[in-house]
Amino acid sequence: MTVITRFAPSPTGTLHVGNIRTALHNWLFARAKGGKFLLRIDDTDRERSQEHFVESIRADLGWLGLVPDAEERQSERFDRYEARFAELVASGRIYPAYETTQELDLKRKVLLGRGLPPVYDRAALALSDQDRATYEAEGKAPHWRFRLDHAAPIAWDDCVRGPQRFDPALLSDPVIRRADGSWLYLLPSVIDDVDMGVTHVVRGEDHVSNTATQLQMFEAMGAAPPSFAHEALLIGAEGKLSKRLGSLGVEHFREIGIEPQALVALLARIGTSDPVEPFADPAPLIASFDFGRFGRAPARFDEAELAALNARIVHQLPFAAVAERLPAGMGSQAWDAIRPNLSTVADAQDWWQVVEGPIAPAEVSAEDRVFLAEATTVAAQIDWATDPWPALTGALKEMTGRKGRALFLPLRLALTGREHGPDMAALLPLIGRDRALARLATD
Ligand code: GLU
C-alpha cells in the first residue's frame, strides 16, 4: 500500500503556524513511508476563496520545503460531487430539509432548555411528497442532510488518540449542502479522499466529530475509510489557545529571520515525546516520525524556543546555503568566522560592518593607550599571511607581561569596537593588516 496524505487548506487566508504544523506532519508521514503528499485546495466557497491565497499557500509550503507531489482543487471537481450526491440522494442517505436558521435555533434552544443534547430531530425525514411539493411551490429551496445510520456505534482506532467511539444517535445528521447549492466541507472531502486514494487523514482534533460522520459517508459510498490521526491543538507559550498563533505565518517568521528548518524542527517535535533538536536537515525528523510519539495534551509553541533553535540552526548552515543573503563581498571564510555569533542570518550584516568598517572608536584608558601603541608597532612587524592573531598576542604578551583579559580585551575593543564577538583568530585575518593598524593606532 502506498501511503497518501493530503493537506487541505481553504484559500481564505494565509497559513498560520497551526496549519503549517498540520501540513508538516502530513509531509513527514508521507516521506517516512515513501508515500505521496497531496496539496488539496478546498475552494468550494467561491466567494471567500481567493487566488492570491492559493499562491501564498504554495509559496509558503515551498519556503518550508514541504513541496507537494501533486495538487488538487475542489473547484475543478463540482461535477464529481454532483454525481456522488445524486447517488446518495437516490439511495436515501441524503435528504432535503427546509427549516430556516431561526427554526433550527429555536429547536436547539428548546432541547438545551430541557437539558437534552441539541440533536436535529429529523423532522424533514417525516415530510411527505406533498409537503415538499408545497415548499417548492412556495419557492423554498432545501438544504441537504446526510442521514446517519443509528444502528451501530461509530468507532475507529485513531493513530494519535487511540480507540474512539461515538453514538450516532447523539449526532445531528450533518448538513452537507446549502440551499443555494454550495457545498459544506464534509462530503466533498470524503469524495476526494476516496477518489485520490488517501490512506491517512492527518488533521487537528477539532475535526474528531466530523470524522465520526465522515466515516459513515465512506461506508455509504462503499469505500474503505482511511486511517485518521487527530493531533492535539497548538497553544501559546502562556499555555492558552492564543489568537496570536492564528496570525503568525511564514511572512512574520521570515521577517524576524527564522529559517524554515527551525520552524520545521520545532513543529515536528512539540507535543511529542521526542526532544526538540536543531536539525538543519529534515532526514532525522522523517526517520523518527511516529504518531505513537504524539501526546494528547496540547502542543506548546514558544517563540523564544523557536528563536533559540533558529540560532543553533544558523550556526550549522554552510556558506552556500546563505551566500545570496549575505552582504556583498562577504565570503565563506567570513561566514565561518561570524556564523557562531549569529541569531539570524541577517545579523551577519552587523559583523561584516565590523570587518569592513568604519567602526566607532572605543573608549580607551591612558594605560591601554600605551599598550595599544605597542600593539601597533608589533602589528606592523608580524606576518599577516598566516595566523596574525596568535602572532600579535604572543609577541605582546612577551613584551608587556599582560595576559588574559588585560591582554585580549583592549585589542578586541580597538579592533572591533565591541567587547564581545567572534573568535579574534578568525576575525583578524578578515580585518586585515591595513585596517587593523589604523584601528590600533588610537592617537
Ligand atoms: N479544509 C478543511 C479545513 O481546513 C480540511 C480539513 C481536513 O483536513 O479534512 O479544516
Side-chain angles (χ1 to χ4, degrees):
M1 176 186 78
T2 305
V3 162
I4 300 182
T5 64
R6 86 295 193 278
F7 172 53
S10 302
T12 54
T14 51
L15 300 182
H16 56 71
V17 60
N19 309 134
I20 293 172
R21 174 168 168 256
T22 303
L24 172 64
H25 294 164
N26 274 285
W27 181 84
L28 284 170
F29 185 67
R31 288 290 166 275
K33 299 291 174 188
K36 289 204 165 99
F37 166 65
L38 310 181
L39 170 61
R40 188 184 84 199
I41 302 293
D42 281 8
D43 56 353
T44 56
D45 186 336
R46 287 185 146 154
E47 254 160 49
R48 293 180 57 229
S49 299
Q50 293 183 37
E51 201 54 33
H52 71 101
F53 289 132
V54 176
E55 279 152 25
S56 93
I57 289 166
R58 282 191 204 120
D60 288 357
L61 292 178
W63 183 75
L64 289 157
L66 313 180
V67 179
D69 297 303
E71 184 180 309
E72 301 279 356
R73 286 184 82 129
Q74 290 199 321
S75 58
E76 289 165 4
R77 294 176 42 79
F78 287 126
D79 290 351
R80 183 72 187 135
Y81 305 150
E82 208 62 65
R84 284 301 214 175
F85 172 78
E87 286 164 22
L88 291 167
V89 171
S91 65
R93 286 310 292 272
I94 289 179
Y95 62 92
Y98 297 84
E99 292 93 343
T100 62
T101 314
Q102 290 85 336
E103 282 165 343
L104 291 171
D105 276 349
L106 187 62
K107 286 186 191 212
R108 249 193 305 269
K109 277 190 192 130
V110 169
L111 288 169
L112 287 170
R114 291 201 218 129
L116 296 169
V119 177
Y120 175 60
D121 62 7
R122 295 185 155 178
L125 270 182
L127 296 176
S128 64
D129 288 348
Q130 178 60 47
D131 295 332
R132 280 192 286 269
T134 311
Y135 282 134
E136 306 277 334
E138 286 168 4
K140 272 195 191 166
H143 55 275
W144 301 85
R145 288 187 187 261
F146 178 78
R147 184 172 57 76
L148 292 172
D149 178 357
H150 289 182
I154 302 169
W156 77 93
D157 195 4
D158 196 275
C159 302
V160 173
R161 298 164 64 84
Q164 303 291 299
R165 213 177 160 82
F166 279 81
D167 177 355
L170 295 179
L171 300 170
S172 294
D173 288 341
V175 175
I176 50 99
R177 197 170 189 183
R178 299 184 192 88
D180 66 4
S182 64
W183 297 99
L184 283 111
Y185 133 85
L186 288 169
L187 186 66
S189 179
V190 172
I191 296 171
D192 290 347
D193 288 338
V194 173
D195 289 354
M196 295 163 199
V198 169
T199 60
H200 292 76
V201 171
V202 180
R203 58 190 182 187
E205 67 180 10
D206 47 325
H207 281 289
V208 168
S209 62
N210 287 338
T211 297
T213 64
Q214 287 182 316
L215 278 170
Q216 286 210 353
M217 296 178 195
F218 283 101
E219 203 181 302
M221 288 188 230
S227 297
F228 286 88
H230 290 95
E231 46 191 20
L233 298 181
L234 203 60
I235 54 172
E238 63 293 341
K240 283 187 295 203
L241 276 179
S242 96
K243 266 210 183 129
R244 178 164 168 78
L245 289 186
S247 67
L248 293 184
V250 163
E251 194 181 324
H252 164 76
F253 294 121
R254 283 177 83 138
E255 239 169 58
I256 61 169
I258 298 296
E259 300 297 315
Q261 295 95 321
L263 207 51
V264 163
L266 186 70
L267 293 175
R269 290 284 179 84
I270 51 174
T272 77
S273 52
D274 289 323
V276 170
E277 293 172 87
F279 293 121
D281 181 287
L285 294 170
I286 294 169
S288 62
F289 189 80
D290 177 2
F291 287 119
R293 318 275 296 173
F294 280 61
R296 289 194 53 180
R300 202 178 271 244
F301 179 78
D302 182 344
E303 288 182 75
E305 187 180 13
L306 177 63
L309 190 66
N310 192 60
R312 294 174 68 192
I313 283 176
V314 169
H315 302 166
Q316 300 170 49
L317 295 177
F319 175 69
V322 295
E324 60 192 34
R325 289 189 280 155
L326 297 180
M330 187 170 163
S332 73
Q333 197 193 345
W335 171 248
D336 290 344
I338 285 167
R339 182 172 74 157
N341 280 72
L342 301 178
S343 301
T344 68
V345 173
D347 291 349
Q349 174 71 49
D350 295 346
W351 289 113
W352 187 239
Q353 171 72 37
V354 166
V355 169
E356 291 220 296
I359 59 164
E363 298 247 335
V364 181
S365 67
E367 202 185 328
D368 282 346
R369 228 170 252 278
V370 175
F371 169 66
L372 289 175
E374 288 169 310
T376 314
T377 313
V378 173
Q381 288 158 8
I382 58 168
D383 173 13
W384 281 82
T386 46
D387 295 339
W389 179 250
L392 175 67
T393 52
L396 281 169
K397 186 175 175 183
E398 224 160 85
M399 265 175 81
T400 64
R402 285 196 185 216
K403 55 185 180 182
R405 199 179 148 83
L407 172 66
F408 299 121
L409 188 61
L411 292 173
R412 177 183 285 281
L413 264 174
L415 289 165
T416 69
R418 303 186 187 198
E419 281 187 37
H420 305 283
D423 180 10
M424 285 303 299
L427 210 54
L428 191 55
L430 299 168
I431 294 171
R433 184 178 194 273
D434 294 350
R435 284 185 293 233
L437 286 176
R439 293 178 193 183
L440 288 169
T442 52
D443 292 322

